[in-house]
Amino acid sequence: MTQSHRLASGGRIDRSKAVRFTFDGHSFDGFAGDTLASALLAHGVHLMGRSFKYHRPRGPIAAGSEEPNALIQLDDGNGRTDPNTRATVIELFAGLRAESQNRWPSLERDVGVINDLFSPMFPAAFYYKTFMWPKSWWESVYEPFIRAAAGLGHAPTMADPDRYAHRHAHCDLLVVGAGPAGLAAALAAGRKGGRVILVDENNALGGSLLNDADGPLEAWLAEVSSELAGLDHVTVLTRTTLTAYYDHNYLTALERITDHTGLVDGKSPRQRLWRIRAGRVVLATGAIERTLVFAGNDRPGVMLASAARTYLHRYAVLVGRTPLIFTNNDSAYRAALDMRAAGTSIAAIVDIRSNPQGALIDAARGDGIRIHTGSVVVGTDGRHRVHQASIARIGADGRLSETLGRPLACDCVLMSGGWNPNVSLFSQGRGRLRFDDALAAFVPDRAMQAVECAGACAGTMTTAGALSEGAEAGGGGIDLPAVEDIVEGPLQPVWAVPSDRTGSRPKAFVDFQNDVTAKDLGIAVREGMVSIEHVKRFTTTGMATDQGKTSNVNALAIVAGQLDAAIPAVGTTTFRPPYTPQTFGAIVGSGRGRLFDPVRKTPMHGWAEANGAVFEDVGNWKRARYFPRPGEDMHGAVQRECMQVRETCGLMDASTLGKIDIQGKDAREFLNRVYTNAWMKLAPGKCRYGLMLRDDGFVFDDGVTACIADDHFHMTTTTGGAPRVLAWLEDLSQTEWPDLEVYFTSVTEQWATMTISGPNAREVLAPLVSEDISTDALPHMAWMEATVAGVKGRIFRISFTGEVSFEVNVPAGYGQSVWEAIVERGKVRELCVYGTETMHVLRAEKGYIIVGQETDGTATPFDLGMDWIVSAKKPDFIGKRGLERPDLKAADRKQLVGLLTKDPDMVLEEGAQVTASDRITIPMPMIGHVTSSYMSSNCGRSIALAMVRGGHALNGRTLHVPQLDGSVVDVTVTGTVFFDIEGARIHG
Amino acid sequence: MLLIECPFCGPRAETEFHCGGQAHIVRPSNDVDDTAWESYLFIRNNPKGIHAERWVHNHGCGRWFNALRDTVSDRFLAIYAMGEKPPAIDGLEDGNDKR
Ligand SMILES: [Zn+2]
């Protein structure tokens, strides 16, 4: 195909580099420097997509990132795919494969367009209202329908082949936007020597200068670009979108590194997310032209006047040969003049204003361009492209008077509804906006951070003004080129252009991407929405991926008109990050796959892996769960391990237990305040189990703490609780009791911890230990310094199984060698290595709780039947007053009990609800829940622990556990200890 | 993301810190009535304006400190040591930062 709409010369494209690409499977060519949109327009192709709700044919209305219509799916066939990408910012490269979206079977013959014919059925809030009833239809009917009908592009199905990077940066000044204002700011600041970062979403510096014909600033742009490039402390980032402006001048910017080349080589990252902390920020983000809201304003060929100029000057592309200009201000006259100079035949300028005056109007008249003043476009025609427009005169009262005899032929309508300073980032950074009546737009008002706006972003619409404001914002002191701006007259806002067309259901779109019409906004107001935030959500205006960059002020003004209120009184919408859509890949950066989350491994992990352990995740830890023998399943392995620990002995890796070294002359007093029991008399060489509460009286953590010396303790915590216990102790020590001299050090990873437990435990261990570990020398709840397999460490005689147990601690680096020595020595005494699942069963057989399993943050020691650990004598400890609250002493609290099923083989589900009645009626009272439940070969039956309302008084009673299949399991309430109830074995 | 001035380490990103909620809450003695105890446990200020807070530099030096933060602007108006009284701030009217 020929580039029928490409001019023979001009533009900022490289004509020496032809680039072939495909769109919907058809091959096209363009030039290096083109965007997908400019290259398609060069072929006269405007139809690039279908709209979201009505599937109406759509072409681009803009030439930049504000584009709402021309959304494209990029897919290189090898995993790199991007939905909802704007054709207007996709830089062309050889082999680019682009597909239009939201159409079936093809863009030209889309079936979904039937929604447009039935559009009276789809007014604002159609989904909310229609899909309310019946409720049961949601899953089966409504949701599948909505899911099928909605959505634009399709999500990737393959793994992302690209790599993404993050970079942290600090600067004195961050300049956003490299147009005249931004360049002047960066230059002024750069010359003063501060660290400057200049970012711009375009592929070159220049901003609005790139969209204009060669002008007097061309040389200045070249000079400034090269000077900035030569300054070491200035970082210039093109193809970089400032996506988010957060608190305290923290901003993120997305740099596109290989998107414009299509290269996926696994070396250079595709995109880089910059995380910038800036001393000051200058926003020089320009202005975005507004659409006009008139019937048929979404027909392909209708676009912003400024976009037509950009396609003309930057890409040497004519968006049409017979343009009709429709405007309420002077700026669109530039498009008329430039298009005419490029050889097109201007159908007419339709100007809402009755008597526009000024140099641009004079120039258009001088060129012989027909101007219909006091007139509006009331409708357009054309199936996939506009081919004519109807004109009518409009009175000062906003009503149509006479209609022009017959429609004007045209192949594009270039509209301008005025300009919105691009205040998105200013607003994201919490800056307050003010409505400017002259511009009929919001402008920056009060900044909440160290930020200034310069140029069009600040409402200064002249180039000379942009240059001087920019230079000043950058610190001043630079010479600026002389620019003479053409003075423009005032605009006349007409927010919703009336139409005389009734029969053909004319639609005047406000939000093109979400298909919201002026009529929808009217419905929202009639339904009672008075806040713009409610109107937004009711109609979804401004809530698409373009965030209403071209439409928000129109929507506000139309709502204000309906409410007969001033625009500022209706409010403004808040802009939210990201400024333009951002890939998840860039957000995640390198944090995926193995780097998604850190993995913590114990010193004996390698041994467990080599010996067939099945691991489970406990926080970030990998813990060996069980060690299956060939042909053994989990149940088989766990029952074998459980029985062998009690028959002979077992060895478990307990290194993940939290360990905190506590020192200082007041360490003992400190422990006495944080644990519920007494610690003042615990002698060196002894250990004690302790329960920690929060101030509200609920159990927080537990563990055994050993007295190393009078001013030195070794505390253990639950595996998951270690960080929060340490943080809690630090908090108390620094903020509540700063008078106590006590120091905390996490030593979790310094010690390898292994528990050897069971009747043969001492026989296995004793030959490896230089010291005497007999019951006399090392009784239950004592500890000693000892040399184990040649390694100096500590042995704690504490038990979580109810058997004789030794917890051997050696420096982590020696963990595996000591472990292997014990395993080797254990062979003669039938030692078995066991995992956490067996540990859980063994402790449940003994009724030992696990904080976080039996407790859920609302259990007191009394609920758990642990009255014995709460000191009645101590005047205070954390939680003492909390336990006195009436609710915590109530008799019907959930209390820990044992449950035995009538059928000994039946294992209850953990989390199952307990009921008093076996007659299931929904709803019915749930009086408790199962917290732990296992098959216990040692008990010869299943066992369970549960928290049951008033459970301590229900011993021997029959309760019921309803099952998912509707049946009910009968259970008997028992005590919480199922094995060795007298507790003799532990002292053996 | 806030930039917080740790009195020991200097300005650091918010992700290095943890906010410990309202500052200057005195832990009452055990003999207070249930209402006073409830107030200590559960009742907190939620001002639009200046809020005295506890912060800890937990991914840094690990030290706790106090701060005055304007909840409207998120600006930190003062950083001061644990146990110190909040400093008087000039230029504040009606609890709002007017500077
Ligand atoms: Zn610090």
Side-chain angles (χ1 to χ4, degrees):
Chain A
M1 268 194 253
T2 57
Q3 299 189 28
S4 55
H5 286 67
R6 183 86 72 180
L7 294 171
S9 63
R12 295 170 196 271
I13 47 171
D14 184 351
R15 289 169 196 265
S16 70
K17 288 185 190 143
V19 176
R20 292 201 74 77
F21 66 98
T22 64
F23 176 61
D24 282 350
H26 302 290
S27 183
F28 291 90
D29 55 7
F31 294 116
D34 261 327
T35 62
L36 177 62
S38 72
L40 288 171
L41 290 169
H43 290 271
V45 175
H46 276 254
L47 178 61
M48 296 186 197
R50 289 274 174 174
S51 73
F52 182 61
K53 196 157 101 182
Y54 300 129
H55 288 244
R56 286 167 69 98
R58 291 279 170 82
I61 65 160
S65 62
E66 70 271 29
E67 172 60 35
N69 279 340
L71 300 183
I72 298 294
Q73 180 106 28
L74 293 179
D75 194 335
D76 72 354
N78 294 314
R80 181 191 273 185
T81 182
D82 257 339
N84 308 333
T85 313
R86 287 135 295 144
T88 52
V89 297
I90 298 168
E91 291 186 57
L92 218 54
F93 58 83
L96 176 83
R97 298 193 344 178
E99 295 277 337
S100 59
Q101 301 183 158
N102 212 29
R103 82 293 188 270
W104 186 84
S106 74
L107 187 54
E108 287 76 17
R109 297 171 206 288
D110 170 59
V111 171
V113 74
I114 200 159
N115 283 3
D116 198 20
L117 300 176
F118 291 104
S119 60
M121 286 175 56
F122 294 91
F126 167 75
Y127 292 113
Y128 299 139
K129 295 184 139 185
T130 312
F131 294 143
M132 292 271 286
W133 186 91
K135 206 175 157 195
S136 61
W137 277 34
W138 248 111
E139 270 182 37
S140 56
V141 182
Y142 296 145
E143 198 180 327
F145 174 81
I146 293 172
R147 287 198 187 282
L152 294 163
H154 54 84
T157 53
M158 286 190 257
D160 191 333
D162 276 299
R163 199 165 79 70
Y164 300 82
H166 284 182
R167 184 172 294 176
H168 291 262
H170 296 80
C171 61
D172 300 301
L173 180 68
L174 171 68
V175 181
V176 186
L183 286 171
L187 184 65
R191 280 190 185 162
K192 288 192 180 1
R195 287 177 302 171
V196 177
I197 298 177
L198 172 64
V199 303
D200 192 284
E201 63 179 351
N202 277 283
N203 59 1
L205 302 182
S208 61
L209 302 178
L210 299 174
N211 304 336
D212 227 321
D214 284 2
L217 286 179
E218 205 62 22
W220 180 78
L221 171 59
E223 281 167 30
V224 174
S225 301
S226 89
E227 182 172 346
L228 290 174
L231 293 173
D232 284 343
H233 51 279
V234 176
T235 306
V236 177
L237 299 169
T238 53
R239 293 191 178 97
T240 304
T241 303
L242 202 298
T243 48
Y245 194 154
Y246 299 108
D247 291 309
H248 293 192
N249 272 355
Y250 177 75
L251 304 94
T252 60
L254 184 68
E255 182 185 9
R256 291 173 295 278
I257 298 166
T258 63
D259 286 77
H260 64 290
T261 64
L263 184 75
V264 183
D265 64 358
K267 288 184 195 134
S268 48
R270 175 189 172 197
Q271 297 174 343
R272 178 180 291 128
L273 189 71
W274 287 73
R275 308 164 74 144
I276 303 167
R277 186 75 73 171
R280 271 195 324 127
V281 174
V282 170
L283 296 176
T285 48
I288 294 173
E289 198 167 26
R290 283 197 293 259
T291 54
L292 284 168
V293 181
F294 60 97
N297 65 344
D298 69 325
R299 218 171 287 288
V302 181
M303 59 166 50
L304 295 168
S306 61
R309 289 188 78 230
T310 299
Y311 287 117
L312 174 63
H313 296 306
R314 188 162 175 183
Y315 305 105
V317 169
L318 293 177
V319 296
R321 299 195 193 283
T322 51
L324 180 99
I325 286 84
F326 180 22
T327 187
N328 67 4
N329 69 89
D330 283 10
S331 71
Y333 281 74
R334 294 173 197 260
L337 291 165
D338 291 357
M339 289 294 277
R340 183 180 165 83
T344 68
S345 156
I346 307 295
I349 296 175
V350 179
D351 195 326
I352 290 170
R353 299 169 297 179
S354 57
N355 188 22
Q357 303 280 334
L360 288 166
I361 289 88
D362 293 345
R365 288 210 170 94
D367 272 6
I369 297 173
R370 197 151 42 123
I371 303 174
H372 296 284
T373 57
S375 301
V376 293
V377 174
V378 291
T380 64
D381 297 290
R383 187 153 170 259
H384 289 160
R385 177 76 181 270
V386 62
H387 69 75
Q388 62 178 21
S390 306
I391 316 296
R393 290 190 63 81
I394 187 168
D397 58 357
R399 286 163 193 268
L400 300 179
S401 46
E402 61 184 299
T403 307
L404 211 71
R406 59 195 169 80
L408 289 179
C410 58
D411 63 356
C412 61
V413 175
L414 310 181
M415 60 181 162
S416 178
W419 293 79
N420 288 335
N422 187 1
V423 294
S424 291
L425 294 173
F426 184 78
S427 169
Q428 278 187 27
R430 299 210 219 177
R432 302 290 161 80
L433 305 176
R434 162 179 75 75
F435 193 76
D436 183 289
D437 287 317
L439 289 171
F442 286 96
V443 295
D445 187 16
R446 196 154 62 92
M448 296 293 273
Q449 311 200 33
V451 57
E452 286 160 79
C453 297
C457 166
T460 302
M461 296 299 180
T462 62
T463 305
L467 285 168
S468 65
E469 278 185 13
E472 198 181 322
I478 59 169
D479 291 330
L480 293 170
V483 187
E484 276 190 41
D485 287 284
I486 301 169
V487 179
E488 293 189 10
L491 66 66
Q492 180 187 331
V494 170
W495 300 108
V497 177
S499 175
D500 63 349
R501 295 192 177 188
T502 48
S504 59
R505 282 194 285 264
K507 285 195 181 67
F509 284 90
V510 180
D511 182 322
F512 288 68
Q513 199 174 106
N514 267 355
D515 268 351
V516 180
T517 64
K519 194 176 153 198
D520 292 327
L521 296 174
I523 292 173
V525 171
R526 284 203 300 282
E527 293 273 359
M529 313 291 147
V530 293
S531 153
I532 191 63
E533 294 294 341
H534 292 156
V535 172
K536 255 184 91 164
R537 282 153 185 81
F538 193 74
T539 63
T540 73
T541 192
M543 292 177 73
T545 63
D546 67 333
Q547 292 197 42
K549 290 184 174 63
T550 54
S551 66
N552 274 344
V553 172
N554 286 339
L556 261 173
I558 290 170
V559 171
Q562 297 270 347
L563 292 169
D564 203 17
I567 293 172
V570 177
T572 178
T573 52
T574 308
F575 296 89
R576 295 194 171 85
Y579 176 69
T580 51
Q582 182 170 325
T583 55
F584 281 105
I587 296 169
V588 170
S590 56
R592 60 187 229 190
R594 284 178 53 227
L595 299 180
F596 176 69
D597 208 18
V599 172
R600 299 177 81 182
K601 294 177 180 173
T602 73
M604 289 80 93
H605 184 89
W607 187 95
E609 216 168 27
N611 286 273
V614 174
F615 292 92
E616 68 169 337
D617 290 334
V618 181
N620 289 115
W621 287 106
K622 294 282 177 203
R623 294 198 73 177
R625 193 173 187 192
Y626 56 97
F627 291 81
R629 292 192 174 151
E632 224 175 27
D633 61 5
M634 173 166 154
H635 177 78
V638 171
Q639 295 310 314
R640 172 182 50 75
E641 290 173 9
C642 283
M643 290 174 73
Q644 207 171 338
V645 171
R646 299 217 188 277
E647 276 166 22
T648 59
C649 62
L651 179 66
M652 190 193 70
D653 180 357
S655 302
T656 64
L657 272 186
K659 299 181 260 312
I660 302 170
D661 188 81
I662 303 176
Q663 299 192 38
K665 71 176 173 59
D666 299 314
R668 184 185 293 280
E669 168 65 20
F670 189 93
L671 290 176
N672 204 48
R673 294 185 191 184
V674 296
Y675 280 129
T676 59
N677 47 352
W679 289 79
M680 298 315 280
K681 288 179 183 158
L682 184 72
K686 297 290 182 192
C687 309
R688 185 161 289 170
Y689 174 77
L691 200 58
M692 256 181 233
L693 310 185
R694 300 187 311 228
D695 254 326
D696 56 15
F698 295 129
V699 171
F700 170 66
D701 206 84
D702 69 347
V704 170
T705 292
C707 182
I708 308 296
D710 269 328
D711 58 355
H712 188 185
F713 293 81
H714 175 88
M715 174 185 280
T716 63
T717 71
T718 58
T719 293
R724 62 174 175 264
V725 170
L726 180 63
W728 173 231
L729 302 182
E730 278 289 351
D731 187 349
L732 289 171
S733 145
Q734 289 183 39
T735 72
E736 204 60 57
W737 306 315
D739 51 312
L740 297 187
E741 191 189 324
V742 56
Y743 308 94
F744 310 91
T745 309
S746 168
V747 292
T748 301
E749 294 183 354
Q750 273 56 48
W751 295 103
T753 304
M754 48 208 97
T755 296
I756 176 165
S757 188
N760 293 352
R762 186 179 290 108
E763 283 177 78
V764 171
L765 191 60
L768 294 169
V769 181
S770 316
E771 293 76 8
D772 175 12
I773 58 167
S774 68
T775 293
D776 290 343
L778 187 62
H780 182 52
M781 298 310 277
W783 77 276
M784 66 192 298
E785 287 189 337
T787 303
V788 186
V791 179
K792 273 193 154 119
R794 296 170 180 166
I795 300 176
F796 300 87
R797 175 90 194 271
I798 55 180
S799 176
F800 200 40
T801 60
E803 303 293 328
V804 170
S805 291
F806 300 88
E807 202 173 276
V808 175
N809 279 239
V810 294
Y814 295 100
Q816 187 160 328
S817 70
V818 172
W819 175 273
E820 284 171 352
I822 297 174
V823 170
E824 187 56 35
R825 166 72 204 151
K827 280 178 182 165
V828 295
R829 290 289 166 200
E830 291 175 74
L831 174 118
C832 97
V833 172
Y834 68 99
T836 51
E837 191 64 24
T838 294
M839 172 193 82
H840 278 127
V841 179
L842 294 174
R843 66 87 205 174
E845 287 171 352
K846 292 296 298 175
Y848 297 149
I849 62 155
I850 289 188
V851 172
Q853 181 156 345
E854 270 63 55
T855 73
D856 59 1
T858 64
T860 69
F862 306 124
D863 298 339
L864 299 168
M866 296 172 74
D867 311 36
W868 52 271
I869 203 170
V870 180
S871 163
K873 289 186 199 146
K874 285 205 292 186
D876 196 13
F877 57 86
I878 298 282
K880 184 178 173 75
R881 177 62 184 83
L883 288 172
E884 296 301 316
R885 288 190 291 153
D887 283 355
L888 270 65
K889 297 166 104 173
D892 65 342
R893 294 185 57 77
K894 281 190 178 178
Q895 294 163 339
L896 187 68
V897 296
L899 294 183
L900 291 177
T901 50
K902 290 267 156 74
D903 171 3
D905 293 330
M906 168 80 201
V907 181
L908 296 169
E909 285 285 335
E910 288 178 355
Q913 297 291 321
V914 179
T915 62
S917 166
D918 62 348
R919 290 236 312 276
I920 299 182
T921 51
I922 297 173
M924 68 188 294
M926 309 286 179
I927 61 167
H929 63 276
V930 176
T931 59
S932 293
S933 176
Y934 307 97
M935 175 52 69
S936 162
S937 295
N938 288 315
C939 298
R941 57 157 303 127
S942 68
I943 57 170
L945 295 171
M947 293 293 282
V948 174
R949 221 164 265 297
H952 292 161
L954 298 178
N955 207 359
R957 287 269 294 276
T958 299
L959 298 177
H960 311 280
V961 180
Q963 303 295 295
L964 286 174
D965 65 3
S967 64
V968 178
V969 172
D970 294 343
V971 296
T972 306
V973 179
T974 69
T976 54
V977 184
F978 302 97
F979 184 84
D980 179 31
I981 295 172
E982 314 76 50
R985 299 170 70 99
I986 204 165
H987 299 285
Chain B
M1 191 186 351
L2 307 182
L3 186 68
I4 301 171
E5 183 88 22
C6 172
F8 306 96
C9 309
R12 299 295 177 92
E14 182 187 351
T15 46
E16 295 184 13
F17 295 84
H18 169 76
C19 181
Q22 188 180 332
H24 309 299
I25 295 172
V26 179
R27 189 164 185 271
S29 66
N30 277 342
D31 49 21
V32 296
D33 64 19
D34 283 339
T35 310
W37 187 253
E38 175 210 25
S39 163
Y40 160 69
L41 277 185
F42 302 120
I43 309 301
R44 296 293 180 268
N45 295 334
N46 186 19
K48 180 180 179 182
I50 297 181
H51 194 214
E53 296 170 329
R54 306 170 342 118
W55 285 84
V56 61
H57 191 192
N58 54 336
H59 294 295
C61 61
R63 301 300 294 173
W64 282 90
F65 55 90
N66 286 319
L68 289 183
R69 181 175 62 93
D70 182 340
T71 60
V72 178
S73 66
D74 261 338
R75 199 186 337 206
F76 281 88
L77 305 170
I79 304 273
Y80 54 103
M82 273 295 153
E84 278 182 10
K85 288 210 161 51
I89 300 291
D90 293 335
L92 297 173
E93 301 157 37
D94 322 324
N96 281 319
D97 187 3
K98 297 279 165 54
R99 295 164 304 163

